[in-house]
Amino acid sequence: MKAGIVGLPNVGKSTLFNCLSNAKAQSANFPFCTIEPNIGVVNVPDARMEKLEELVNPERVVPATVEIVDIAGLVKGASKGEGLGNQFLGNIRETDAILHVLRCFDNDNIVHVDGSVDPIRDKETIDMELQLKDLESVEKKLDKVKRAAKTGNKEAQKEAAVLTSLKEGLETGKSVRAITLSDDDRAEYVKPLQLITDKPVMYVCNVDEEAATNGNAYVEKVKEAVANENAEVIFLAVGTEADITELDTYEERQLFLEDLGLSEPGSAKLIRGAYKLLNLETYFTAGVKEVRAWTIPVGATAPQAAGVIHTDFEKGFIRAEVIAYNDYVEYGSEAKVKEAGKMRVEGKEYVVKDGDVMHFRFNV
């Protein structure tokens, strides 16, 4: 699953990407220093993994991961190909969720592409380009569907009505995710179009070090502006986070965080947020060889969860042996959980819960 970092040039996207992935994407004080998208695979911080490692003492630990894509800075006119717009918009279309970075700090030494700091204007610039690109896609599809609807095709008429609602919403400056439609219509007619503004979004307010703990007036403005969008908003001091990741030892990094009044890096909060934004959760397998976190969509059944390990596990699924994470921690080992009668045997209908520790029985 991929989350794409977007924003205007010079708002801190590549610096944030470097913090998250330690992949050292080029970042500099001029627009378009990122042209090809950089991709980093990022571990999802999870204290439960550390606890299971402590209890099981395995040979290795494999955390859950999210793929982060650093997409070059969009500019006004991107939907018409300005700046390298078409290429960048194509890169965004391939992601599952959007991390929209907004500059929420003043610094005369860092050039702003529009000459002044205004996160709401910046957000609207990007939104408009993404909406115009979606409008283009919707209009193309609507033209085709209308031809079928004219022949009396009831299904095409229904689809044309949904697409018309999308078109009207986009024309008034609404993102697809904010347009009122039924879940069924979204699943049937909207999802296959892979519209950019239908993707879940998290606004990442890039603040200065002074605002790293409590945010600032810019952040409050962003929260107000997106209140109706069903979007997440977080703030972090991206430059400061970059300085923290450069420190050599864990102890030095912790001291720096404590000085700022933070319990963990903001990047950890962001990665967990991105994981949640993608509608993902984790189950674990735990044994002496390996403790591993497996990523599944929220609502996955036991056979679907087994299929993440290997497709044969899903095909030949017989049952799952399940321990709730809290029970594993309370009793301290799988053997003691079994003794206490807390291990459950679940069948094909079982919906996996976040944090379940599981073994699968299957027959191929």
Side-chain angles (χ1 to χ4, degrees):
M1 300 289 270
K2 283 184 191 172
I5 301 177
V6 305
L8 289 172
N10 267 17
V11 294
K13 296 182 314 305
S14 294
T15 308
L16 175 62
F17 176 81
N18 289 336
C19 289
L20 298 179
S21 67
N22 293 328
K24 298 292 174 273
Q26 186 186 4
S27 61
N29 189 16
F30 59 90
F32 301 123
C33 66
T34 312
I35 293 177
E36 288 302 316
N38 296 295
I39 298 176
V41 177
V42 182
N43 292 342
V44 179
D46 193 331
R48 297 172 302 183
M49 285 286 285
E50 292 161 28
K51 189 66 187 170
L52 288 171
E53 181 182 9
E54 188 187 302
L55 294 171
V56 178
N57 195 23
E59 289 172 22
R60 66 177 189 152
V61 174
V62 184
T65 59
V66 172
E67 215 167 83
I68 303 286
V69 186
D70 176 25
I71 291 157
L74 290 167
V75 291
K76 203 173 282 184
S79 57
K80 299 282 182 279
E82 291 290 324
L84 296 176
N86 288 327
Q87 181 187 337
F88 301 163
L89 289 162
N91 295 333
I92 300 169
R93 202 181 291 286
E94 290 165 17
T95 65
D96 303 293
I98 293 172
L99 307 176
H100 185 161
V101 182
L102 296 167
R103 177 169 166 176
C104 292
F105 66 89
D106 295 303
N107 184 335
D108 293 340
N109 296 321
I110 298 176
V111 188
H112 189 291
V113 73
D114 285 329
S116 62
V117 177
D118 183 344
I120 308 307
R121 177 202 59 212
D122 295 355
K123 172 195 168 322
E124 286 168 357
T125 298
I126 298 281
D127 282 354
M128 185 185 289
E129 297 308 321
L130 302 184
Q131 288 159 6
L132 286 169
K133 201 68 187 169
D134 280 350
L135 184 58
E136 199 180 287
S137 303
V138 169
E139 285 175 337
K140 267 187 201 163
K141 181 73 174 173
L142 185 55
D143 284 346
K144 278 185 195 168
V145 173
K146 273 182 174 172
R147 287 197 289 274
K150 278 177 185 166
T151 66
N153 181 320
K154 291 275 191 288
E155 187 58 32
Q157 287 169 354
K158 192 176 175 195
E159 185 170 4
V162 173
L163 292 170
T164 301
S165 293
L166 285 182
K167 180 175 181 289
E168 288 167 356
L170 286 161
E171 284 171 342
T172 61
K174 277 187 179 177
S175 290
V176 172
R177 74 182 81 82
I179 296 170
T180 307
L181 291 168
S182 73
D183 290 345
D184 288 348
D185 286 347
R186 279 190 179 277
E188 196 164 345
Y189 305 119
V190 183
K191 202 168 179 7
L193 295 175
Q194 281 193 295
L195 298 171
I196 301 170
T197 66
D198 192 35
K199 297 178 191 294
V201 65
M202 176 193 287
Y203 292 100
V204 182
C205 297
N206 182 10
V207 299
D208 54 22
E209 191 172 308
E210 288 70 40
T213 314
N214 299 312
N216 59 23
Y218 289 132
V219 175
E220 294 311 311
K221 280 184 184 171
V222 172
K223 286 180 179 173
E224 276 173 43
V226 306
N228 301 326
E229 271 194 50
N230 193 24
E232 303 269 327
V233 179
I234 71 163
F235 59 88
L236 65 159
V238 174
T240 306
E241 296 275 334
D243 293 342
I244 292 170
T245 59
E246 293 294 328
L247 295 171
D248 292 332
T249 67
Y250 173 79
E251 286 72 22
E252 285 177 303
R253 290 194 287 273
Q254 285 305 112
L255 279 171
F256 198 143
L257 287 167
E258 281 168 27
D259 284 347
L260 290 173
L262 299 171
S263 57
E264 64 173 354
S267 52
K269 186 170 63 172
L270 186 144
I271 296 162
R272 281 199 301 273
Y275 197 69
K276 187 177 154 201
L277 195 66
L278 290 161
N279 205 28
L280 301 175
E281 62 185 11
T282 302
Y283 78 87
F284 302 103
T285 49
V288 288
K289 289 272 181 209
E290 177 183 272
V291 165
R292 182 186 284 243
W294 299 91
T295 298
I296 52 170
V298 171
T301 60
Q304 288 167 336
V308 172
I309 299 176
H310 198 289
T311 50
D312 286 350
F313 285 26
E314 184 170 3
K315 284 178 197 158
F317 179 89
I318 300 169
R319 66 179 184 274
E321 293 168 359
V322 184
I323 302 169
Y325 169 77
N326 289 341
D327 288 339
Y328 206 112
V329 171
E330 184 181 339
Y331 293 97
S333 71
E334 189 177 306
K336 285 183 178 161
V337 170
K338 281 181 181 171
E339 274 173 38
K342 291 287 186 178
M343 179 185 274
R344 306 188 313 276
V345 175
E346 301 285 2
K348 290 183 177 180
E349 305 303 312
Y350 178 67
V351 175
V352 179
K353 293 179 180 61
D354 188 48
D356 278 350
V357 181
M358 304 181 80
H359 289 298
F360 298 103
R361 303 291 172 207
F362 65 100
N363 183 18
V364 176

